[in-house]
Amino acid sequence: MTQQHVPALVIGNWKMNGSLATNAALLESLRGDIASFGNVHVSVCPPFPYLAQSAALLAKSPISCTAQNLCHEAIGAYTGEVSASMLADIGCRYVLAGHSERRGLFGDSSERVAAKTRQALNAGLIPIVCVGETLAQREIGLTEATLAAQLLPTLAGLSASDLEKLILAYEPVWAIGTGHVATAEQITTVLHYLRKLVADKTGATKVAQSMRILYGGSVNAANASWLADLPEVSGVLVGGASLKAEDFSEICRSFGQR
Ligand code: 13P
């Protein structure tokens, strides 16, 4: 199933980087480059304190905002947390759930990721559920089992219409921030597996085939063109390179002109 008949989605995950001044410069540069992007959906994913700034600066542009995380509960006494409805309120379109840094560094379990996905859908946000294996898991043949364990609690809680909104991101942990991008074969094999897993577990074969699945992990201006040529890949989740305006624009062009 080719993904190339629908516009790709390119998201810049800024992680815990930025300031009012650097964000404004980056977004101004992106806005200036939009005309060259082609047919692609672009979103930026700033830290929470800068979402409102980004949403305001992008208000008249087709670039949307994505949040990096959200609370697994809807409202109440959860000091330090941010709810899905707050993110929707300030204009976010997408939200990440289960980024490997959340899973690995902050203890987000797959059940918690499922609850976050539920909250996102309830608030009208599009959840992007991230999955990915470590190098150790890959080396002992546990890639598929790891991805299944990460995704199954989320799939169990979704209706057919929820599933149609869901986006997945395959981000092998060993490729994040390392410069070691996965090979075309590794990406294609995993994306086939994820579609089969979704189809087998939900029975929604057609939805599984057309579901958007992003790749993330050391995407940069140089490798974006061959990644954009992979028919299975619906777009990319870009970390480090999304902080460099020229590089991120080049990645957007690669996917917009595929
Ligand atoms: P890098 O592009 O820096 O490897 O990060 C990938 C990532 O984690 C995006 O969410």
Side-chain angles (χ1 to χ4, degrees):
M1 174 74 194
T2 176
Q3 295 290 301
Q4 288 172 309
H5 59 289
V6 286
L9 175 59
V10 174
I11 302 184
N13 177 8
W14 297 357
K15 308 193 180 186
M16 199 174 72
N17 295 287
S19 67
L20 287 173
T22 60
N23 303 341
L26 179 56
L27 293 176
E28 191 185 330
S29 173
L30 289 184
R31 280 193 334 210
D33 286 346
I34 286 173
S36 69
F37 288 170
N39 191 20
V40 61
H41 289 149
V42 177
S43 195
V44 292
C45 189
F48 286 141
Y50 300 129
L51 277 168
Q53 177 205 20
S54 299
L57 291 174
L58 296 171
K60 292 195 185 78
S61 91
I63 301 177
S64 66
C65 283
T66 300
Q68 297 179 15
N69 186 29
L70 77 166
C71 186
H72 62 289
E73 297 285 352
I75 189 169
Y78 300 99
T79 301
E81 291 292 303
V82 175
S83 73
S85 63
M86 293 172 188
L87 298 173
D89 199 19
I90 62 159
C92 289
R93 179 168 168 76
Y94 306 97
V95 60
L96 307 184
H99 189 280
S100 72
E101 287 147 20
R102 297 298 319 170
R103 293 180 188 265
L105 302 173
F106 302 100
D108 280 14
S109 66
S110 297
E111 290 69 28
R112 176 88 16 130
V113 173
K116 292 183 178 201
T117 305
R118 176 80 266 143
Q119 293 300 337
L121 288 163
N122 289 352
L125 294 167
I126 300 172
I128 300 173
V129 175
C130 307
V131 294
E133 81 287 359
T134 63
L135 189 57
Q137 287 164 334
R138 174 167 279 273
E139 283 176 347
I140 56 171
L142 284 182
T143 298
E144 293 187 355
T146 302
L147 301 174
Q150 290 174 338
L151 199 53
L152 289 185
T154 292
L155 294 180
L158 299 185
S159 68
S161 74
D162 291 335
L163 196 62
E164 286 177 13
K165 295 172 196 129
L166 187 73
I167 298 177
L168 301 183
Y170 171 52
E171 296 207 301
V173 178
W174 47 271
I176 296 178
T178 58
H180 299 303
V181 66
T183 65
E185 193 191 342
Q186 287 169 328
I187 296 170
T188 303
T189 301
V190 166
L191 268 50
H192 273 143
Y193 170 71
L194 289 173
R195 291 188 197 288
K196 185 175 177 319
L197 181 71
V198 173
D200 289 351
K201 295 297 170 188
T202 66
T205 311
K206 274 195 174 162
V207 177
Q209 278 175 0
S210 60
M211 168 175 249
R212 283 185 284 177
I213 312 183
L214 312 179
Y215 167 77
S218 296
V219 177
N220 59 34
N223 58 32
S225 62
W226 69 256
L227 285 165
D229 283 341
L230 298 180
E232 294 284 332
V233 171
S234 317
V236 279
L237 193 45
V238 186
S242 72
L243 299 169
K244 300 175 205 144
E246 277 179 25
D247 292 23
F248 190 62
S249 287
E250 188 55 35
I251 295 166
C252 294
R253 278 190 286 274
S254 292
F255 278 85
Q257 290 157 15
R258 74 176 183 173

